[in-house]
């Protein structure tokens, strides 16, 4: 009796075997009364395939696998009685040219800790979940309702958020350690989601998890698959969503990995002009092969359906969409129409996004796409790629270019801060200040800021307030919430000792206040993708480098007015136009002493401001406010 049936072969060959991870790989089962493990692997051009491991003393010839019917599919299978959970194994593939290839299982659910490379038999189906309330609420969300939810993401590299001091090993926090420490921190700060970098198994720490060898295995650096499931479960019980970085764009050439898996270009394009990234030294998946597409689709579905993950942030989407991405003339092959679009990758995205969001209401697919490719979040019916969200890289570049400037020169670059709203309705956006912006000599967020130390902090406070008020969901990389001074490195934990310095503690408190303001006020998230939720009061005060705008809720209640100054000049009576004759209640003030501000009992600003019939900014009504240097004032009305 075969585990991998003719129907399995058919579905796999159509790229529609959505439970492929329950068939391929190594699975405990009982056949004809004998308990053991059934091994299945796809190696279509192999001459022979053997399974080797602890169970047979790594004997290379004792356990030859057989091709299942139809043999043209290239799936090999062998049931081995007596094999137990925890047993290490590999596939020995004899290529047609006689080479011996020792490969980890592409579908393995668990792997040895690097630098070792064997796969490990496990069972990921037995975890006892207790996140029913979260999962049921997620399933009830329509696609439009997803967009109306708050999303403030804390991007985390698990291996360097915190570490155990003085340990002989790397001192990594385990998944269970993170459940005890990261979750309370994220919850207290006010984030809605955690995004985890580098969870799929990978061999090289310095790749941060973006060069994957195990697309079906949570990395063993931080524990077992069950430990990872525990972390997700605890996040959900604490009403925190979990997003994983997922890398279907490319894979490394490590000998035990996917590259030339059966001695030929199995998972990658055969033509190196299509199958290799010259800049990255990696292989590109062949999106024209159904079995390869099914491999990737199965991985995505496993994370979302088996591990209850709430969404995937798809890395390097642009490199998949463009055949000439990172390549010179002669290094790439045009498509059948002579263009530079990868038509197979486009169809892959339409397929996988429609499938995942259709099968899993309330989940999200997020594109890290750095170009002006149209309709990334558009529907398939409108020839879009059907992602839920797109990282707004344009906003990020303009924002950072502006924030780095000496305040004297900001008046000439005012449009860098206003431009993103002109195209805001074209996609569903997430505003991102990610790990990529604080590595490779780009400086930490704090040290991007101009001026002396005090000015750096005030600049960054104003920048974070602008980000939180602007349309779009939010993402901030770990450590930047308390103004990490050094660039991030995966080799050490964050500089938590900085919180002993009041300036850094004030920054953390400021970001916390912004996050709680965001979560408590639907005007900041329920109408992110339309002008109905945003209105400039004054987008043109470039001489003073001050921005004022209103965020509006659907019901017209509890709207917020933001006034943000990006110069070190105090304005004793800054007058700003307002939408009507309301009372404007000051709910966030950067001059408050709890954030390191200079207000005292004697100089404290009033908490309420009645609109006066004094025309300003093209409005009939306005309020006057004493705006401090780099001042931020948020009013509710």
């Amino acid at each position: 009796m075969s585990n991998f049936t003719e129907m399995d072969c058919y579905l796999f060959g159509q790229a529609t075997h959505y439970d492929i991870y329950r068939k391929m790989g190594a699975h405990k089962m009982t056949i004809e009364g004998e308990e053991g493990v059934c091994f299945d692997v796809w190696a279509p051009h192999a001459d022979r395939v053997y399974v080797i491991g602890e169970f047979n003393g790594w004997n290379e010839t004792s356990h030859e696998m057989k091709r299942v019917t139809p043999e043209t599919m290239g799936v090999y299978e062998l049931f081995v009685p007596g094999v137990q959970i925890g047993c290490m194994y590999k596939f020995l593939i004899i290529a047609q040219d006689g080479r011996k290839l020792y490969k980890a299982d592409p579908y393995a659910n668990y792997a040895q800790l690097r630098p070792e490379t064997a796969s490990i038999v496990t069972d990921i189906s037995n975890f006892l979940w207790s996140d029913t309330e979260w999962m049921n609420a997620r399933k009830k969300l329509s696609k439009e309702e997803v967009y109306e939810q708050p999303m403030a993401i804390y991007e985390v590299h698990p291996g360097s958020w915190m570490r155990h001091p003085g340990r002989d090993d790397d001192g990594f926090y385990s998944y269970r350690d993170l459940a005890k420490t990261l979750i309370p921190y994220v919850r207290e700060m006010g984030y809605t989601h955690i995004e985890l970098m580098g969870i799929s198994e990978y061999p090289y720490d310095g790749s941060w998890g973006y060069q994957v060898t195990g697309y079906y295995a949570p990395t063993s650096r931080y524990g077992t698959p069950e430990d990872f499931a525990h972390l997700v479960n605890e996040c959900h019980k604490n009403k925190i969503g979990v997003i994983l970085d997922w890398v279907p764009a490319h894979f490394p050439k490590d000998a035990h990995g996917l590259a030339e898996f059966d001695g030929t270009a199995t998972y990658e394009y055969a033509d190196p002009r299509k199958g290799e990234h010259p800049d990255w030294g990696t292989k590109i998946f062949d999106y024209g092969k159904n079995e390869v597409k099914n491999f990737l689709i199965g991985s995505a579905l496993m994370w979302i359906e088996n591990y209850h993950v709430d969404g995937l942030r798809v890395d390097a989407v642009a490199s998949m969409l463009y055949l000439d991405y990172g390549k010179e003339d002669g290094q790439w092959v045009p498509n059948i129409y002579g263009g530079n679009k990868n038509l197979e990758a486009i169809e892959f995205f339409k397929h996988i996004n429609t499938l995942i969001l259709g099968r899993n209401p309330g989940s999200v697919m997020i594109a890290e796409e750095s170009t002006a490719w149209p309709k990334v979040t558009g529907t398939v019916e409108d020839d879009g790629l059907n992602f839920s969200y797109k990282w707004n890289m344009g906003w990020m570049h303009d924002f950072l270019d502006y924030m780095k400037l000496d305040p004297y020169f900001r008046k000439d670059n005012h449009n860098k801060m206003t431009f993103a709203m002109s195209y805001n309705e074209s996609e569903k956006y997430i505003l991102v200040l990610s790990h990529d912006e604080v590595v490779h000599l780009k400086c930490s967020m704090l040290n991007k800021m101009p001026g002396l130390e005090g000015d750096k902090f005030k600049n960054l406070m104003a920048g974070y307030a602008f980000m939180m008020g602007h349309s779009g969901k939010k993402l901030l990389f770990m450590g930047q919430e308390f103004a990490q001074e050094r660039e991030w490195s995966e080799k050490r934990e964050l500089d938590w000792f900085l919180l002993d310095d009041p300036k850094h503690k004030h920054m953390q408190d400021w970001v916390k206040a912004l996050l709680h303001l965001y979560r408590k006020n639907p005007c900041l998230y329920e109408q992110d993708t339309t002008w109905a939720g945003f209105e400039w009061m004054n987008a043109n005060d470039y001489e003073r480098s001050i921005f004022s705008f209103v965020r509006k809720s659907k019901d017209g209640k509890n709207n917020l007015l933001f006034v943000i100054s990006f110069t070190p000049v105090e304005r004793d009576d800054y007058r700003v136009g307002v939408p009507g004759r309301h009372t404007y209640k000051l709910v966030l003030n950067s001059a408050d002493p709890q954030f390191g501000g200079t207000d005292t009992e004697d100089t404290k600003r009033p908490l309420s401001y009645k609109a006066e019939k004094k025309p300003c900014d093209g409005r009939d009504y306005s309020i006057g406010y004493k705006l401090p240097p780099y001042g931020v004032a948020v009013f509710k009305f």
Side-chain angles (χ1 to χ4, degrees):
M1 183 179 72
S2 176
N3 169 53
F4 208 86
T5 66
E6 284 194 46
M7 179 55 73
D8 291 323
C9 287
Y10 172 77
L11 294 173
F12 187 45
Q14 299 297 310
T16 56
H17 199 315
Y18 301 139
D19 293 322
I20 191 69
Y21 64 93
R22 301 187 192 279
K23 289 284 188 169
M24 286 288 195
H27 297 281
K28 281 279 288 182
M29 59 181 56
T30 300
I31 295 181
E32 296 179 353
E34 283 196 288
E35 291 186 358
V37 169
C38 191
F39 297 91
D40 289 84
V41 65
W42 179 59
H45 299 107
D47 182 61
R48 280 163 290 146
V49 181
Y50 300 86
V51 61
I52 60 177
E54 290 181 301
F55 63 89
N56 66 1
W58 301 95
N59 187 305
E60 295 190 353
T61 58
S62 63
H63 287 75
E64 183 173 359
M65 304 178 74
K66 308 298 181 186
R67 278 188 183 248
V68 303
T69 304
E71 293 190 1
T72 53
M73 175 56 62
V75 174
Y76 287 80
E77 181 174 282
L78 185 66
F79 175 73
V80 184
V83 177
Q84 299 294 320
I85 298 292
C87 179
M88 290 188 292
Y89 70 99
K90 276 190 177 184
F91 295 119
L92 169 58
I93 296 175
I94 310 299
Q96 290 184 355
D97 60 8
R99 282 179 296 154
K100 288 184 176 182
L101 307 173
Y102 300 86
K103 294 290 187 177
D105 180 359
Y107 288 86
N109 297 128
Y110 191 31
Q112 274 188 295
L113 177 64
R114 54 89 180 100
E116 305 305 324
T117 59
S119 302
I120 300 174
V121 176
T122 191
D123 186 347
I124 62 171
S125 65
N126 289 330
F127 184 79
L128 297 177
W129 293 91
S130 55
D131 62 348
T132 306
E133 182 180 351
W134 174 275
M135 295 299 288
N136 286 342
R138 189 178 94 181
K139 290 173 188 174
K140 292 176 183 177
L141 291 175
S142 69
K143 192 172 183 180
E144 286 309 312
E145 286 172 329
V146 168
Y147 297 132
E148 296 174 359
Q149 305 304 306
M151 181 178 277
I153 303 167
Y154 190 51
E155 187 188 29
V156 176
H157 179 263
S160 58
W161 183 68
M162 282 186 179
R163 288 194 176 181
H164 295 290
R167 290 231 307 234
D168 291 336
D169 59 9
D170 296 288
F172 290 144
Y173 271 35
S174 69
Y175 296 118
R176 291 180 183 269
D177 290 333
L178 291 167
K180 293 176 184 175
T181 53
L182 176 61
I183 291 173
Y185 180 77
V186 166
R187 185 168 182 173
E188 181 187 355
M189 286 295 293
Y191 293 99
T192 65
H193 290 72
I194 297 169
E195 180 174 320
L196 297 174
M197 296 166 55
I199 286 299
S200 298
E201 191 60 84
Y202 60 104
Y204 175 50
D205 286 16
S207 78
W208 311 332
Y210 294 115
Q211 294 195 9
V212 177
T213 50
Y215 279 81
Y216 288 77
T219 177
S220 56
R221 286 167 176 79
Y222 318 124
T224 66
E226 185 174 276
D227 295 335
F228 174 70
H230 172 79
L231 172 60
V232 177
N233 192 55
E234 292 301 306
C235 282
H236 287 171
K237 287 163 65 177
N238 284 275
K239 295 183 167 39
I240 297 167
V242 180
I243 298 167
L244 300 187
D245 283 358
W246 187 63
V247 193
H250 63 131
F251 56 90
K253 298 178 181 178
D254 295 70
H256 70 285
L258 299 177
E260 295 190 358
F261 185 77
D262 64 6
T264 68
T266 311
Y267 286 88
E268 65 269 40
Y269 285 109
D271 187 333
R273 294 174 298 172
K274 289 184 73 176
E276 295 200 22
H277 276 301
D279 289 346
W280 299 344
T282 53
K283 297 282 191 178
I284 300 172
F285 282 107
D286 184 345
Y287 309 105
K289 281 183 186 171
N290 282 343
E291 296 87 352
V292 173
K293 286 190 288 188
N294 207 148
F295 170 80
L296 292 170
I297 290 167
S299 168
L301 286 170
M302 182 206 68
W303 293 116
I304 288 177
E305 295 181 354
N306 187 80
Y307 284 112
H308 293 198
V309 165
D310 302 289
L312 302 176
R313 194 279 274 174
V314 183
D315 185 63
V317 168
S319 73
M320 297 171 65
L321 294 173
Y322 296 96
L323 293 165
D324 59 348
Y325 186 92
K327 298 178 181 180
E328 305 291 337
D329 288 346
Q331 291 183 322
W332 63 283
V333 182
N335 62 32
I336 57 173
Y337 304 110
N340 68 341
K341 295 179 179 180
N342 188 330
L343 305 178
E344 294 160 344
I346 294 169
E347 290 308 310
F348 169 74
F349 281 134
K350 292 179 179 180
H351 182 176
I352 192 170
N353 289 334
T354 302
L355 173 71
I356 293 230
L357 301 179
R359 277 173 62 119
N360 300 278
S363 62
V364 295
M365 295 291 285
I366 302 167
E368 189 236 348
E369 203 286 312
S370 54
T371 74
W373 188 282
K375 302 178 184 177
V376 172
T377 57
T379 64
V380 171
E381 292 79 8
D382 195 29
D383 201 30
L385 299 181
N386 207 34
F387 279 97
S388 308
Y389 293 104
K390 172 179 172 172
W391 273 21
N392 196 336
M393 311 293 275
W395 173 86
M396 178 271 295
H397 286 298
D398 287 344
F399 174 80
L400 292 180
D401 286 348
Y402 181 88
M403 293 304 300
K404 292 173 188 174
L405 290 170
D406 185 290
Y408 179 82
F409 297 107
R410 285 176 174 167
K411 62 180 180 291
D412 299 319
N413 292 270
H414 198 76
N415 67 309
K416 287 187 181 297
M417 296 290 266
T418 60
F419 181 55
M421 278 309 301
S422 70
Y423 60 81
N424 183 64
E425 290 185 305
S426 64
E427 301 279 8
K428 310 294 192 300
Y429 284 117
I430 298 177
L431 308 185
V432 292
L433 295 172
S434 75
H435 67 277
D436 274 332
E437 313 320 317
V438 293
V439 291
H440 302 322
L441 304 180
K442 294 178 185 175
C443 300
S444 66
M445 285 301 301
L446 181 69
N447 282 327
K448 294 181 195 294
M449 301 298 113
L452 300 175
E453 184 180 63
D455 283 348
K456 286 181 181 293
F457 281 88
K458 292 174 183 175
N459 265 291
L460 189 54
M461 286 175 66
Y464 284 159
F466 186 88
M467 176 188 186
M468 202 60 65
H470 196 284
S471 288
K473 310 306 183 188
K474 327 293 177 190
L475 178 144
L476 187 64
F477 181 56
M478 65 180 196
Q480 309 316 306
E481 76 277 11
F482 60 80
Q484 173 92 6
E485 292 182 353
R486 293 191 290 179
E487 282 192 337
W488 170 65
S489 170
E490 82 283 354
K491 297 177 181 177
R492 60 173 184 257
E493 75 168 16
L494 298 180
D495 293 332
W496 294 101
F497 60 83
L498 291 173
L499 288 170
D500 294 333
D501 182 332
K503 294 187 298 298
H504 293 275
K505 186 66 173 72
H506 288 146
M507 181 65 74
Q508 185 190 49
D509 290 341
W510 176 250
V511 173
K512 179 179 176 179
L514 286 169
L515 287 165
H516 283 272
L517 181 79
Y518 174 76
R519 292 191 65 161
K520 289 176 183 176
N521 292 278
C523 65
L524 290 176
Y525 56 76
E526 68 180 2
Q527 297 195 102
D528 267 328
T529 61
T530 168
W531 277 103
F534 184 100
E535 184 180 3
W536 289 111
M537 293 294 102
N538 191 340
N540 301 309
D541 194 355
Y542 59 90
E543 285 291 349
R544 292 182 288 188
S545 298
I546 298 175
F547 301 86
S548 55
F549 56 87
V550 165
R551 294 302 306 276
K552 294 183 280 189
S553 61
K554 292 175 86 172
D555 61 10
K557 300 176 182 177
N558 295 323
N559 302 316
L560 294 177
L561 166 67
F562 284 73
V563 182
I564 307 174
S565 171
F566 286 98
T567 66
V569 180
E570 186 170 46
R571 312 288 177 183
D572 283 339
D573 186 21
Y574 184 77
R575 188 152 292 276
V576 58
V578 294
R581 191 177 180 178
H582 308 290
T583 296
Y584 293 80
K585 180 184 177 184
L586 183 64
V587 293
L588 191 65
N589 164 28
S590 62
D592 194 304
Q594 67 173 310
F595 308 124
T598 55
D599 275 4
T600 65
E601 284 298 320
D602 296 331
T603 63
K604 188 180 288 185
R605 289 156 174 75
L607 295 181
S608 293
Y609 297 79
K610 287 188 176 180
E612 303 172 87
K613 195 167 176 57
K614 291 183 178 180
C616 182
D617 299 333
R619 315 278 169 173
D620 292 335
Y621 292 88
S622 62
I623 60 172
Y625 178 78
K626 186 177 181 180
L627 194 61
Y630 301 113
V632 177
V634 183
F635 304 88
K636 182 177 285 190
F637 65 97

